[in-house]
Short mmCIF file of all heavy atoms in Angstrom, two decimals:
data_model
loop_
_atom_site.label_atom_id
_atom_site.label_comp_id
_atom_site.label_asym_id
_atom_site.label_seq_id
_atom_site.Cartn_x
_atom_site.Cartn_y
_atom_site.Cartn_z
N MET R 211 -42.04 5.49 -19.73
CA MET R 211 -41.25 6.71 -19.83
C MET R 211 -40.68 7.10 -18.48
O MET R 211 -39.53 7.52 -18.38
CB MET R 211 -42.15 7.81 -20.42
CG MET R 211 -41.45 9.10 -20.62
SD MET R 211 -40.39 8.98 -22.05
CE MET R 211 -39.96 10.65 -22.28
N LYS R 212 -41.50 6.98 -17.43
CA LYS R 212 -41.05 7.36 -16.09
C LYS R 212 -39.93 6.44 -15.60
O LYS R 212 -39.00 6.90 -14.93
CB LYS R 212 -42.24 7.32 -15.13
CG LYS R 212 -42.28 8.43 -14.17
CD LYS R 212 -43.55 8.40 -13.37
CE LYS R 212 -43.69 9.70 -12.64
NZ LYS R 212 -44.84 9.73 -11.77
N LYS R 213 -40.04 5.14 -15.93
CA LYS R 213 -39.00 4.21 -15.51
C LYS R 213 -37.66 4.52 -16.20
O LYS R 213 -36.61 4.39 -15.59
CB LYS R 213 -39.40 2.76 -15.86
CG LYS R 213 -40.36 2.15 -14.91
CD LYS R 213 -40.57 0.69 -15.26
CE LYS R 213 -41.46 0.04 -14.26
NZ LYS R 213 -41.65 -1.38 -14.56
N THR R 214 -37.71 4.94 -17.43
CA THR R 214 -36.50 5.29 -18.17
C THR R 214 -35.81 6.49 -17.54
O THR R 214 -34.59 6.50 -17.37
CB THR R 214 -36.84 5.60 -19.65
OG1 THR R 214 -37.56 4.50 -20.19
CG2 THR R 214 -35.60 5.86 -20.45
N ILE R 215 -36.59 7.49 -17.17
CA ILE R 215 -36.01 8.69 -16.55
C ILE R 215 -35.38 8.32 -15.21
O ILE R 215 -34.27 8.77 -14.89
CB ILE R 215 -37.09 9.78 -16.40
CG1 ILE R 215 -37.49 10.28 -17.78
CG2 ILE R 215 -36.57 10.94 -15.55
CD1 ILE R 215 -38.67 11.22 -17.78
N TRP R 216 -36.09 7.52 -14.41
CA TRP R 216 -35.55 7.10 -13.11
C TRP R 216 -34.29 6.25 -13.29
O TRP R 216 -33.35 6.35 -12.52
CB TRP R 216 -36.58 6.33 -12.30
CG TRP R 216 -37.51 7.24 -11.56
CD1 TRP R 216 -38.82 7.48 -11.88
CD2 TRP R 216 -37.21 8.06 -10.45
NE1 TRP R 216 -39.35 8.38 -11.00
CE2 TRP R 216 -38.36 8.75 -10.11
CE3 TRP R 216 -36.07 8.27 -9.70
CZ2 TRP R 216 -38.43 9.65 -9.06
CZ3 TRP R 216 -36.13 9.13 -8.63
CH2 TRP R 216 -37.29 9.83 -8.32
N GLY R 217 -34.27 5.40 -14.30
CA GLY R 217 -33.10 4.57 -14.56
C GLY R 217 -31.90 5.40 -14.93
O GLY R 217 -30.79 5.17 -14.46
N ILE R 218 -32.11 6.38 -15.82
CA ILE R 218 -31.01 7.26 -16.23
C ILE R 218 -30.53 8.09 -15.04
O ILE R 218 -29.33 8.27 -14.84
CB ILE R 218 -31.47 8.16 -17.41
CG1 ILE R 218 -31.69 7.30 -18.64
CG2 ILE R 218 -30.45 9.24 -17.68
CD1 ILE R 218 -32.35 8.03 -19.79
N LEU R 219 -31.47 8.60 -14.24
CA LEU R 219 -31.10 9.39 -13.07
C LEU R 219 -30.30 8.56 -12.07
O LEU R 219 -29.26 9.02 -11.55
CB LEU R 219 -32.37 9.94 -12.39
CG LEU R 219 -32.15 10.85 -11.20
CD1 LEU R 219 -31.42 12.11 -11.62
CD2 LEU R 219 -33.48 11.19 -10.56
N CYS R 220 -30.73 7.35 -11.79
CA CYS R 220 -29.99 6.46 -10.88
C CYS R 220 -28.60 6.14 -11.42
O CYS R 220 -27.63 6.08 -10.66
CB CYS R 220 -30.77 5.18 -10.63
SG CYS R 220 -32.24 5.42 -9.62
N PHE R 221 -28.49 5.92 -12.71
CA PHE R 221 -27.21 5.64 -13.34
C PHE R 221 -26.23 6.79 -13.12
O PHE R 221 -25.09 6.58 -12.71
CB PHE R 221 -27.39 5.38 -14.84
CG PHE R 221 -26.11 5.24 -15.59
CD1 PHE R 221 -25.38 4.07 -15.51
CD2 PHE R 221 -25.63 6.28 -16.38
CE1 PHE R 221 -24.18 3.93 -16.20
CE2 PHE R 221 -24.45 6.15 -17.06
CZ PHE R 221 -23.74 4.98 -16.98
N PHE R 222 -26.68 8.02 -13.36
CA PHE R 222 -25.79 9.16 -13.20
C PHE R 222 -25.46 9.44 -11.74
O PHE R 222 -24.36 9.88 -11.43
CB PHE R 222 -26.39 10.41 -13.86
CG PHE R 222 -26.21 10.41 -15.35
CD1 PHE R 222 -27.29 10.28 -16.19
CD2 PHE R 222 -24.95 10.51 -15.91
CE1 PHE R 222 -27.12 10.27 -17.58
CE2 PHE R 222 -24.76 10.49 -17.28
CZ PHE R 222 -25.86 10.37 -18.12
N ILE R 223 -26.38 9.15 -10.82
CA ILE R 223 -26.08 9.30 -9.40
C ILE R 223 -25.01 8.31 -8.98
O ILE R 223 -24.05 8.64 -8.28
CB ILE R 223 -27.36 9.14 -8.55
CG1 ILE R 223 -28.26 10.36 -8.75
CG2 ILE R 223 -27.03 8.96 -7.09
CD1 ILE R 223 -29.62 10.24 -8.11
N ILE R 224 -25.13 7.07 -9.40
CA ILE R 224 -24.14 6.03 -9.05
C ILE R 224 -22.77 6.38 -9.64
O ILE R 224 -21.76 6.31 -8.96
CB ILE R 224 -24.63 4.65 -9.53
CG1 ILE R 224 -25.82 4.20 -8.68
CG2 ILE R 224 -23.50 3.61 -9.43
CD1 ILE R 224 -26.52 2.98 -9.18
N ILE R 225 -22.73 6.78 -10.90
CA ILE R 225 -21.47 7.16 -11.53
C ILE R 225 -20.88 8.38 -10.84
O ILE R 225 -19.67 8.47 -10.61
CB ILE R 225 -21.67 7.43 -13.04
CG1 ILE R 225 -22.07 6.14 -13.76
CG2 ILE R 225 -20.41 8.02 -13.67
CD1 ILE R 225 -21.06 5.02 -13.66
N GLY R 226 -21.72 9.35 -10.45
CA GLY R 226 -21.23 10.53 -9.75
C GLY R 226 -20.60 10.19 -8.40
O GLY R 226 -19.55 10.73 -8.05
N VAL R 227 -21.23 9.29 -7.65
CA VAL R 227 -20.68 8.88 -6.36
C VAL R 227 -19.36 8.15 -6.57
O VAL R 227 -18.39 8.39 -5.84
CB VAL R 227 -21.70 8.00 -5.60
CG1 VAL R 227 -21.07 7.33 -4.41
CG2 VAL R 227 -22.89 8.84 -5.17
N ILE R 228 -19.31 7.27 -7.54
CA ILE R 228 -18.08 6.52 -7.79
C ILE R 228 -16.94 7.45 -8.18
O ILE R 228 -15.79 7.25 -7.79
CB ILE R 228 -18.33 5.44 -8.88
CG1 ILE R 228 -19.22 4.35 -8.31
CG2 ILE R 228 -17.02 4.86 -9.38
CD1 ILE R 228 -19.70 3.34 -9.34
N CYS R 229 -17.23 8.50 -8.92
CA CYS R 229 -16.18 9.45 -9.33
C CYS R 229 -15.78 10.39 -8.19
O CYS R 229 -14.64 10.85 -8.15
CB CYS R 229 -16.65 10.26 -10.52
SG CYS R 229 -16.84 9.28 -12.02
N CYS R 230 -16.69 10.69 -7.28
CA CYS R 230 -16.41 11.64 -6.21
C CYS R 230 -15.60 11.03 -5.06
O CYS R 230 -14.87 11.75 -4.38
CB CYS R 230 -17.69 12.22 -5.66
SG CYS R 230 -18.49 13.36 -6.78
N ILE R 231 -15.71 9.73 -4.84
CA ILE R 231 -15.01 9.10 -3.72
C ILE R 231 -13.49 9.24 -3.85
O ILE R 231 -12.83 9.64 -2.88
CB ILE R 231 -15.45 7.63 -3.58
CG1 ILE R 231 -16.88 7.60 -3.06
CG2 ILE R 231 -14.54 6.86 -2.64
CD1 ILE R 231 -17.51 6.22 -3.00
N PRO R 232 -12.86 8.94 -4.99
CA PRO R 232 -11.40 9.13 -5.08
C PRO R 232 -10.99 10.59 -4.91
O PRO R 232 -9.95 10.88 -4.32
CB PRO R 232 -11.04 8.63 -6.48
CG PRO R 232 -12.15 7.74 -6.87
CD PRO R 232 -13.37 8.27 -6.19
N ILE R 233 -11.80 11.52 -5.39
CA ILE R 233 -11.47 12.93 -5.22
C ILE R 233 -11.49 13.31 -3.75
O ILE R 233 -10.61 14.01 -3.26
CB ILE R 233 -12.44 13.80 -6.05
CG1 ILE R 233 -12.23 13.55 -7.54
CG2 ILE R 233 -12.29 15.27 -5.72
CD1 ILE R 233 -13.30 14.16 -8.44
N TYR R 234 -12.50 12.81 -3.02
CA TYR R 234 -12.59 13.06 -1.58
C TYR R 234 -11.36 12.51 -0.85
O TYR R 234 -10.80 13.19 0.01
CB TYR R 234 -13.87 12.45 -1.02
CG TYR R 234 -13.94 12.46 0.48
CD1 TYR R 234 -14.22 13.65 1.15
CD2 TYR R 234 -13.68 11.31 1.22
CE1 TYR R 234 -14.28 13.68 2.54
CE2 TYR R 234 -13.72 11.34 2.60
CZ TYR R 234 -14.03 12.51 3.25
OH TYR R 234 -14.06 12.54 4.61
N HIS R 235 -10.95 11.30 -1.19
CA HIS R 235 -9.78 10.70 -0.54
C HIS R 235 -8.51 11.49 -0.84
O HIS R 235 -7.64 11.64 0.02
CB HIS R 235 -9.62 9.23 -0.94
CG HIS R 235 -10.62 8.35 -0.28
ND1 HIS R 235 -10.68 8.20 1.09
CD2 HIS R 235 -11.59 7.56 -0.77
CE1 HIS R 235 -11.65 7.37 1.40
NE2 HIS R 235 -12.22 6.96 0.28
N ASN R 236 -8.37 11.99 -2.05
CA ASN R 236 -7.18 12.78 -2.38
C ASN R 236 -7.16 14.10 -1.62
O ASN R 236 -6.11 14.57 -1.21
CB ASN R 236 -7.11 13.03 -3.88
CG ASN R 236 -6.67 11.81 -4.64
OD1 ASN R 236 -5.99 10.95 -4.09
ND2 ASN R 236 -7.08 11.71 -5.89
N VAL R 237 -8.32 14.70 -1.41
CA VAL R 237 -8.40 15.93 -0.63
C VAL R 237 -7.99 15.67 0.81
O VAL R 237 -7.22 16.42 1.42
CB VAL R 237 -9.81 16.54 -0.71
CG1 VAL R 237 -10.00 17.64 0.31
CG2 VAL R 237 -10.09 17.06 -2.10
N GLN R 238 -8.48 14.55 1.39
CA GLN R 238 -8.12 14.19 2.76
C GLN R 238 -6.62 13.90 2.87
O GLN R 238 -5.98 14.27 3.85
CB GLN R 238 -8.92 12.98 3.23
CG GLN R 238 -10.39 13.25 3.36
CD GLN R 238 -10.68 14.34 4.38
OE1 GLN R 238 -10.08 14.42 5.43
NE2 GLN R 238 -11.63 15.20 4.03
N LEU R 239 -6.07 13.22 1.87
CA LEU R 239 -4.64 12.92 1.87
C LEU R 239 -3.82 14.21 1.82
O LEU R 239 -2.82 14.35 2.55
CB LEU R 239 -4.29 12.05 0.68
CG LEU R 239 -2.79 11.77 0.45
CD1 LEU R 239 -2.20 11.01 1.62
CD2 LEU R 239 -2.59 11.02 -0.83
N ASN R 240 -4.23 15.17 1.01
CA ASN R 240 -3.49 16.43 0.93
C ASN R 240 -3.54 17.20 2.23
O ASN R 240 -2.54 17.79 2.65
CB ASN R 240 -4.03 17.28 -0.22
CG ASN R 240 -3.57 16.77 -1.55
OD1 ASN R 240 -2.51 16.19 -1.67
ND2 ASN R 240 -4.40 16.99 -2.57
N LYS R 241 -4.68 17.18 2.93
CA LYS R 241 -4.77 17.84 4.23
C LYS R 241 -3.83 17.18 5.23
O LYS R 241 -3.13 17.86 5.99
CB LYS R 241 -6.20 17.76 4.77
CG LYS R 241 -7.18 18.66 4.08
CD LYS R 241 -8.56 18.53 4.69
CE LYS R 241 -9.59 19.33 3.95
NZ LYS R 241 -10.93 19.13 4.55
N PHE R 242 -3.80 15.86 5.24
CA PHE R 242 -2.94 15.11 6.17
C PHE R 242 -1.47 15.35 5.84
O PHE R 242 -0.65 15.59 6.74
CB PHE R 242 -3.27 13.63 6.09
CG PHE R 242 -2.44 12.76 6.97
CD1 PHE R 242 -2.61 12.80 8.34
CD2 PHE R 242 -1.50 11.90 6.45
CE1 PHE R 242 -1.86 12.00 9.18
CE2 PHE R 242 -0.74 11.11 7.26
CZ PHE R 242 -0.92 11.15 8.64
N ALA R 243 -1.12 15.31 4.56
CA ALA R 243 0.28 15.50 4.15
C ALA R 243 0.75 16.92 4.44
O ALA R 243 1.92 17.13 4.81
CB ALA R 243 0.45 15.17 2.67
N ASN R 244 -0.12 17.90 4.30
CA ASN R 244 0.26 19.28 4.59
C ASN R 244 0.55 19.47 6.08
O ASN R 244 1.40 20.28 6.44
CB ASN R 244 -0.83 20.25 4.13
CG ASN R 244 -0.87 20.36 2.63
OD1 ASN R 244 0.11 20.07 1.95
ND2 ASN R 244 -2.00 20.77 2.11
N GLN R 245 -0.14 18.75 6.93
CA GLN R 245 0.17 18.80 8.36
C GLN R 245 1.57 18.27 8.64
O GLN R 245 2.28 18.78 9.50
CB GLN R 245 -0.85 18.00 9.17
CG GLN R 245 -2.21 18.61 9.21
CD GLN R 245 -3.20 17.72 9.96
OE1 GLN R 245 -2.87 16.61 10.40
NE2 GLN R 245 -4.42 18.20 10.09
N LEU R 246 1.96 17.24 7.91
CA LEU R 246 3.28 16.67 8.12
C LEU R 246 4.39 17.57 7.60
O LEU R 246 5.49 17.59 8.14
CB LEU R 246 3.37 15.29 7.44
CG LEU R 246 2.49 14.20 8.02
CD1 LEU R 246 2.63 12.93 7.20
CD2 LEU R 246 2.81 13.95 9.47
N THR R 247 4.12 18.33 6.55
CA THR R 247 5.15 19.22 6.02
C THR R 247 5.35 20.45 6.89
O THR R 247 6.37 21.13 6.77
CB THR R 247 4.82 19.67 4.59
OG1 THR R 247 3.55 20.32 4.58
CG2 THR R 247 4.81 18.49 3.63
N ASP R 248 4.39 20.73 7.76
CA ASP R 248 4.51 21.88 8.65
C ASP R 248 5.37 21.61 9.88
O ASP R 248 5.64 22.51 10.66
CB ASP R 248 3.13 22.35 9.12
CG ASP R 248 2.32 22.95 7.97
OD1 ASP R 248 2.93 23.35 6.97
OD2 ASP R 248 1.10 23.02 8.11
N ILE R 249 5.81 20.36 10.06
CA ILE R 249 6.62 19.99 11.22
C ILE R 249 8.04 20.55 11.04
O ILE R 249 8.64 20.42 9.96
CB ILE R 249 6.68 18.46 11.37
CG1 ILE R 249 5.28 17.93 11.68
CG2 ILE R 249 7.65 18.06 12.47
CD1 ILE R 249 5.20 16.42 11.71
N ASN R 250 8.55 21.17 12.07
CA ASN R 250 9.93 21.67 12.05
C ASN R 250 10.88 20.55 12.50
O ASN R 250 10.80 20.08 13.63
CB ASN R 250 10.08 22.89 12.97
CG ASN R 250 9.30 24.05 12.46
OD1 ASN R 250 9.16 24.23 11.26
ND2 ASN R 250 8.77 24.86 13.36
N PHE R 251 11.77 20.15 11.61
CA PHE R 251 12.73 19.10 11.92
C PHE R 251 14.01 19.72 12.45
O PHE R 251 14.33 20.87 12.14
CB PHE R 251 13.04 18.28 10.66
CG PHE R 251 11.87 17.48 10.18
CD1 PHE R 251 11.18 17.87 9.04
CD2 PHE R 251 11.47 16.35 10.85
CE1 PHE R 251 10.10 17.15 8.59
CE2 PHE R 251 10.39 15.60 10.40
CZ PHE R 251 9.70 16.00 9.27
N PRO R 252 14.79 18.95 13.20
CA PRO R 252 16.10 19.45 13.64
C PRO R 252 17.01 19.70 12.43
O PRO R 252 16.77 19.23 11.32
CB PRO R 252 16.64 18.30 14.50
CG PRO R 252 15.47 17.50 14.89
CD PRO R 252 14.46 17.66 13.81
N ASP R 253 18.09 20.43 12.68
CA ASP R 253 18.99 20.81 11.58
C ASP R 253 19.71 19.63 10.95
O ASP R 253 20.05 19.66 9.77
CB ASP R 253 20.03 21.80 12.09
CG ASP R 253 19.38 23.13 12.45
OD1 ASP R 253 18.31 23.43 11.89
OD2 ASP R 253 19.96 23.84 13.28
N ASN R 254 19.95 18.55 11.70
CA ASN R 254 20.73 17.43 11.17
C ASN R 254 19.86 16.40 10.45
O ASN R 254 20.33 15.34 10.08
CB ASN R 254 21.52 16.76 12.29
CG ASN R 254 20.61 16.24 13.38
OD1 ASN R 254 19.42 16.53 13.40
ND2 ASN R 254 21.20 15.49 14.31
N VAL R 255 18.60 16.70 10.20
CA VAL R 255 17.71 15.76 9.52
C VAL R 255 17.72 16.04 8.02
O VAL R 255 17.60 17.19 7.58
CB VAL R 255 16.28 15.89 10.07
CG1 VAL R 255 15.31 15.06 9.24
CG2 VAL R 255 16.23 15.46 11.51
N GLU R 256 17.88 14.98 7.25
CA GLU R 256 17.84 15.11 5.79
C GLU R 256 16.58 14.39 5.27
O GLU R 256 16.39 13.20 5.51
CB GLU R 256 19.07 14.45 5.15
CG GLU R 256 19.09 14.51 3.66
CD GLU R 256 20.27 13.78 3.05
OE1 GLU R 256 21.15 13.35 3.82
OE2 GLU R 256 20.29 13.64 1.82
N ILE R 257 15.73 15.12 4.59
CA ILE R 257 14.51 14.53 4.00
C ILE R 257 14.89 13.92 2.67
O ILE R 257 15.33 14.62 1.75
CB ILE R 257 13.42 15.60 3.85
CG1 ILE R 257 13.04 16.15 5.23
CG2 ILE R 257 12.21 15.01 3.15
CD1 ILE R 257 12.06 17.28 5.18
N VAL R 258 14.71 12.62 2.57
CA VAL R 258 15.12 11.90 1.37
C VAL R 258 14.05 11.97 0.29
O VAL R 258 14.34 12.21 -0.88
CB VAL R 258 15.44 10.44 1.71
CG1 VAL R 258 15.80 9.65 0.48
CG2 VAL R 258 16.54 10.37 2.74
N ASP R 259 12.79 11.77 0.67
CA ASP R 259 11.72 11.72 -0.33
C ASP R 259 10.40 12.08 0.32
O ASP R 259 10.19 11.81 1.50
CB ASP R 259 11.65 10.33 -0.95
CG ASP R 259 10.86 10.29 -2.23
OD1 ASP R 259 10.50 11.37 -2.74
OD2 ASP R 259 10.61 9.19 -2.74
N ARG R 260 9.51 12.66 -0.45
CA ARG R 260 8.15 12.93 0.00
C ARG R 260 7.20 12.40 -1.06
O ARG R 260 7.25 12.79 -2.22
CB ARG R 260 7.92 14.43 0.16
CG ARG R 260 8.71 15.02 1.28
CD ARG R 260 8.40 16.46 1.41
NE ARG R 260 9.32 17.02 2.42
CZ ARG R 260 9.14 18.15 3.03
NH1 ARG R 260 8.12 18.90 2.73
NH2 ARG R 260 9.99 18.57 3.92
N VAL R 261 6.33 11.49 -0.64
CA VAL R 261 5.38 10.86 -1.54
C VAL R 261 4.01 10.85 -0.89
O VAL R 261 3.90 10.55 0.30
CB VAL R 261 5.82 9.41 -1.89
CG1 VAL R 261 4.82 8.76 -2.80
CG2 VAL R 261 7.19 9.40 -2.50
N LYS R 262 2.97 11.16 -1.65
CA LYS R 262 1.60 11.06 -1.17
C LYS R 262 0.85 10.06 -2.03
O LYS R 262 0.75 10.24 -3.24
CB LYS R 262 0.90 12.42 -1.26
CG LYS R 262 1.53 13.48 -0.42
CD LYS R 262 0.72 14.77 -0.47
CE LYS R 262 1.00 15.51 -1.75
NZ LYS R 262 0.40 16.85 -1.79
N ILE R 263 0.35 8.99 -1.42
CA ILE R 263 -0.36 7.95 -2.16
C ILE R 263 -1.54 7.47 -1.33
O ILE R 263 -1.39 7.19 -0.15
CB ILE R 263 0.56 6.76 -2.48
CG1 ILE R 263 1.75 7.17 -3.31
CG2 ILE R 263 -0.22 5.66 -3.19
CD1 ILE R 263 2.76 6.05 -3.51
N CYS R 264 -2.70 7.34 -1.95
CA CYS R 264 -3.86 6.67 -1.35
C CYS R 264 -3.83 5.23 -1.85
O CYS R 264 -3.72 5.01 -3.05
CB CYS R 264 -5.16 7.30 -1.78
SG CYS R 264 -5.46 8.94 -1.15
N GLY R 265 -3.92 4.29 -0.95
CA GLY R 265 -3.91 2.90 -1.39
C GLY R 265 -4.21 1.94 -0.28
O GLY R 265 -4.55 2.31 0.83
N LYS R 266 -4.03 0.68 -0.57
CA LYS R 266 -4.28 -0.40 0.37
C LYS R 266 -2.94 -0.92 0.86
O LYS R 266 -2.15 -1.40 0.06
CB LYS R 266 -5.07 -1.51 -0.33
CG LYS R 266 -5.63 -2.49 0.58
CD LYS R 266 -6.81 -1.89 1.28
CE LYS R 266 -7.35 -2.89 2.25
NZ LYS R 266 -7.84 -2.29 3.44
N LEU R 267 -2.68 -0.79 2.14
CA LEU R 267 -1.39 -1.21 2.68
C LEU R 267 -1.30 -2.73 2.76
O LEU R 267 -0.33 -3.32 2.32
CB LEU R 267 -1.17 -0.59 4.07
CG LEU R 267 0.18 -0.81 4.71
CD1 LEU R 267 1.30 -0.30 3.81
CD2 LEU R 267 0.25 -0.12 6.06
N MET R 268 -2.31 -3.38 3.33
CA MET R 268 -2.32 -4.84 3.38
C MET R 268 -3.73 -5.35 3.61
O MET R 268 -4.58 -4.62 4.11
CB MET R 268 -1.38 -5.38 4.46
CG MET R 268 -1.74 -4.97 5.87
SD MET R 268 -0.56 -5.62 7.02
CE MET R 268 -1.61 -6.57 8.06
N GLY R 269 -3.96 -6.58 3.25
CA GLY R 269 -5.26 -7.20 3.46
C GLY R 269 -6.29 -6.73 2.46
O GLY R 269 -6.00 -6.08 1.49
N ASN R 270 -7.51 -7.15 2.74
CA ASN R 270 -8.61 -6.69 1.89
C ASN R 270 -9.70 -6.16 2.81
O ASN R 270 -9.70 -6.37 4.00
CB ASN R 270 -9.14 -7.81 1.00
CG ASN R 270 -9.50 -9.03 1.81
OD1 ASN R 270 -9.55 -8.99 3.03
ND2 ASN R 270 -9.77 -10.13 1.14
N GLY R 271 -10.58 -5.45 2.28
CA GLY R 271 -11.63 -4.86 3.11
C GLY R 271 -12.05 -3.53 2.56
O GLY R 271 -11.79 -3.18 1.41
N ASN R 272 -12.67 -2.77 3.43
CA ASN R 272 -13.30 -1.55 2.99
C ASN R 272 -12.58 -0.31 3.49
O ASN R 272 -13.17 0.75 3.57
CB ASN R 272 -14.74 -1.56 3.51
CG ASN R 272 -15.70 -0.98 2.52
OD1 ASN R 272 -15.32 -0.68 1.41
ND2 ASN R 272 -16.94 -0.83 2.92
N SER R 273 -11.34 -0.41 3.82
CA SER R 273 -10.61 0.73 4.35
C SER R 273 -9.61 1.24 3.32
O SER R 273 -9.29 0.57 2.36
CB SER R 273 -9.88 0.36 5.64
OG SER R 273 -8.89 -0.60 5.37
N LEU R 274 -9.10 2.44 3.59
CA LEU R 274 -8.12 3.06 2.71
C LEU R 274 -7.00 3.61 3.57
O LEU R 274 -7.25 4.22 4.60
CB LEU R 274 -8.77 4.19 1.91
CG LEU R 274 -7.87 4.89 0.92
CD1 LEU R 274 -7.57 3.97 -0.26
CD2 LEU R 274 -8.55 6.14 0.39
N ASP R 275 -5.76 3.37 3.17
CA ASP R 275 -4.61 3.83 3.93
C ASP R 275 -3.96 4.98 3.17
O ASP R 275 -3.88 4.96 1.95
CB ASP R 275 -3.60 2.70 4.12
CG ASP R 275 -4.19 1.52 4.84
OD1 ASP R 275 -4.90 1.75 5.84
OD2 ASP R 275 -3.96 0.37 4.43
N TYR R 276 -3.53 5.98 3.90
CA TYR R 276 -2.80 7.08 3.33
C TYR R 276 -1.32 6.79 3.49
O TYR R 276 -0.78 6.85 4.58
CB TYR R 276 -3.18 8.40 3.99
CG TYR R 276 -4.65 8.73 3.82
CD1 TYR R 276 -5.48 8.84 4.92
CD2 TYR R 276 -5.17 8.92 2.56
CE1 TYR R 276 -6.81 9.15 4.76
CE2 TYR R 276 -6.50 9.22 2.39
CZ TYR R 276 -7.31 9.34 3.49
OH TYR R 276 -8.64 9.64 3.33
N LEU R 277 -0.66 6.42 2.40
CA LEU R 277 0.74 6.01 2.46
C LEU R 277 1.66 7.18 2.14
O LEU R 277 1.38 8.02 1.35
CB LEU R 277 0.98 4.88 1.43
CG LEU R 277 -0.01 3.74 1.49
CD1 LEU R 277 0.22 2.82 0.32
CD2 LEU R 277 0.08 3.00 2.79
#
């Protein structure tokens, strides 16, 4: 009985961590993107597009790029 409870508890902890990591990265991306939108551009600058994406720019590994 004790092993079953520990197994279920470990399962939910692992699932919780896996679900929280993308949310954390999106929060960090929004903080970074908001800093960029606060920049005052000269009058002759035209902003074509604004996109916020978390992803992998190139290669493989354990890092995440804010594109």
Side-chain angles (χ1 to χ4, degrees):
M211 182 75 168
K212 221 174 193 183
K213 281 187 176 181
T214 305
I215 293 172
W216 278 107
I218 293 171
L219 183 64
C220 289
F221 173 77
F222 282 112
I223 288 172
I224 290 171
I225 295 300
V227 168
I228 289 172
C229 292
C230 288
I231 289 174
I233 294 170
Y234 170 76
H235 285 299
N236 285 334
V237 168
Q238 293 299 320
L239 173 64
N240 285 330
K241 287 181 184 178
F242 180 71
N244 288 338
Q245 290 177 357
L246 294 177
T247 57
D248 292 339
I249 295 174
N250 293 327
F251 293 106
D253 293 335
N254 60 350
V255 172
E256 179 184 352
I257 297 175
V258 177
D259 196 8
R260 292 182 187 197
V261 179
K262 298 184 281 188
I263 300 173
C264 291
K266 193 75 182 145
L267 186 58
M268 62 182 238
N270 54 10
N272 218 6
S273 64
L274 182 71
D275 300 317
Y276 299 118
L277 310 172

